[in-house]
Amino acid sequence: MKIGFIGLGAMGFPMARHLASEHEVIVWNRTREKAERHSREHGTKLAGDIRDCANADAVLTMLPTSREVDEVVDLIAPALRKGMLFIDATSGDPNASRQTAARLAELGVDFVDAPVTGAIVGAENATLTIMIGGTSAAFERAKDILRLNGKTIIHVGEAGAGHAIKALTNSIMGATVWITAECMLVAKQYGIDMKTAFAVTNAGSGRSNASENLLPTRLVEGKWPLVFKLALHDKDIRIATSIAHQQHASTPMLALTSQLFTGALHELGDQADYIEVAKIVARMNGTEW
Ligand code: NDP
């Protein structure tokens, strides 16, 4: 199968590599050097123009937000052909993706939103969990391609449903990271050793990915890697908040989480990692980790 892949960032670069193990993959990236490197290292075909990616059976986008996806769709729509499949793996906005699905349907192109979870390590090891919105037929087509990227591929509902659950589940993670950092700070101030505090938490009901993996790396080992931009996490929580607003839902925890993350983003800047919100938790208490 021929696949056009657009967006070779932290997630897209390894995802396109796995697809190339079985398919002919044509790559395009805004910063061309990355696409050149991908082509050189993984035998993918370098697109001369972004529209070359439409000369394929399927197009896959892995971009920051739905805004960039819309820009890409504007550019390549004239080159898309009836019967093609468009997979948007971006963690996008379900309202935007529903519109994109309708727009592409007019061209006879199937659309699925297929955001992923599992971080860069999951993209590298092809162990992502992938949540898909779209028709059952489009889901089956997308699944047959994305099985090279993930172990768990779930059909969530119609177009937009994948993006909706992705934003909601990342919001759960955001709130969990924040409250865990707060409680760990209090434990530290109380004089409890951080390693011990995590050991107890992880042996009990406070356990989460934040307490088992994300925070110990930073607060015990003192390593603060950039694995997922805070700007992207903030975007996910804002999407969740807007969905809640549309449903007229009462979600004070979600609203608070969104406010905290947006404040942290303004404080830490565009290039910060999402777990650096723990630094803000400490600063709010006049201290550092
Ligand atoms: P990166 O910032 O690493 O990569 C973004 C990609 O989008 C790059 O290829 C970048 O090109 C491209 N891009 C940015 N702006 C534009 C534009 N205006 N036009 C065309 N291309 C553009 O992000 P990630 O790979 O980390 O994230 C991608 C998506 O995956 C996001 O929606 C994110 O929320 C989601 N995600 C990320 C996870 C993670 O752990 N990192 C985990 C799960 C989901 P260039 O190289 O030129 O900058």
Side-chain angles (χ1 to χ4, degrees):
M1 194 184 290
K2 272 171 109 173
I3 299 171
F5 199 106
I6 298 172
L8 301 170
M11 297 296 286
F13 199 94
M15 287 176 72
R17 166 165 58 88
H18 290 299
L19 295 180
S21 66
E22 274 192 25
H23 302 289
E24 184 182 329
V25 177
I26 310 156
V27 291
W28 182 90
N29 193 65
R30 180 181 64 174
T31 307
R32 192 174 165 81
E33 290 74 34
K34 279 191 208 168
E36 287 172 349
R37 181 158 69 85
H38 203 280
S39 175
R40 210 169 44 242
E41 292 176 1
H42 305 301
T44 47
K45 205 170 154 194
L46 184 65
D49 181 277
I50 193 168
R51 287 183 191 83
D52 294 348
C53 290
N55 182 21
D57 304 293
V59 176
L60 207 148
T61 42
M62 190 49 159
L63 297 166
T65 73
S66 291
R67 203 183 61 196
E68 291 81 26
V69 176
D70 284 348
E71 286 168 11
V72 163
V73 172
D74 286 345
L75 288 172
I76 68 166
L80 294 172
R81 293 177 326 279
K82 198 169 180 283
M84 286 177 69
L85 175 65
F86 194 107
I87 300 173
D88 181 21
T90 308
S91 298
D93 181 330
N95 291 320
S97 44
R98 279 209 302 271
Q99 283 178 9
T100 307
R103 187 177 165 195
L104 294 180
E106 285 174 15
L107 303 173
V109 173
D110 271 347
F111 172 91
V112 293
D113 43 308
V116 308
T117 186
I120 296 171
V121 66
E124 289 286 352
N125 297 334
T127 53
L128 294 169
T129 292
I130 307 175
M131 49 217 97
I132 299 188
T135 63
S136 297
F139 165 72
E140 292 301 334
R141 289 180 74 189
K143 188 179 172 188
D144 193 40
I145 295 172
L146 294 170
R147 67 185 165 74
L148 294 170
N149 288 127
K151 289 210 185 314
T152 308
I153 305 180
I154 302 168
H155 189 197
V156 188
E158 292 304 311
H163 281 157
I165 192 67
K166 170 67 192 177
L168 292 164
T169 193
N170 260 18
S171 302
I172 296 171
M173 176 175 62
T176 309
V177 165
W178 197 289
I179 184 70
T180 308
E182 279 185 6
C183 292
M184 286 297 142
L185 184 71
V186 177
K188 188 178 180 185
Q189 289 175 332
Y190 193 80
I192 300 171
D193 168 63
M194 276 289 89
K195 228 172 172 174
T196 308
F198 278 115
V200 172
T201 302
N202 291 331
S205 47
R207 186 177 65 245
S208 68
N209 186 33
S211 66
E212 284 187 311
N213 303 305
L214 304 174
L215 287 166
T217 304
R218 279 82 177 173
L219 308 186
V220 177
E221 295 172 34
K223 294 180 190 149
W224 295 84
L226 172 57
V227 291
F228 178 41
K229 287 178 192 147
L230 174 58
L232 293 176
H233 199 176
D234 172 64
K235 167 259 310 179
D236 290 339
I237 302 172
R238 279 187 290 114
I239 290 170
T241 311
S242 76
I243 302 169
H245 187 68
Q246 272 177 346
Q247 310 294 324
H248 200 206
S250 171
T251 51
M253 281 294 293
L254 182 58
L256 177 60
T257 306
S258 182
Q259 288 293 313
L260 291 169
F261 270 72
T262 300
L265 175 63
H266 289 309
E267 188 70 20
L268 294 165
D270 265 3
Q271 296 308 310
D273 181 72
Y274 70 131
I275 306 300
E276 287 185 61
V277 297
K279 293 181 179 171
I280 299 298
V281 170
R283 275 188 216 169
M284 285 166 82
N285 289 278
T287 186
E288 288 178 2
W289 286 101

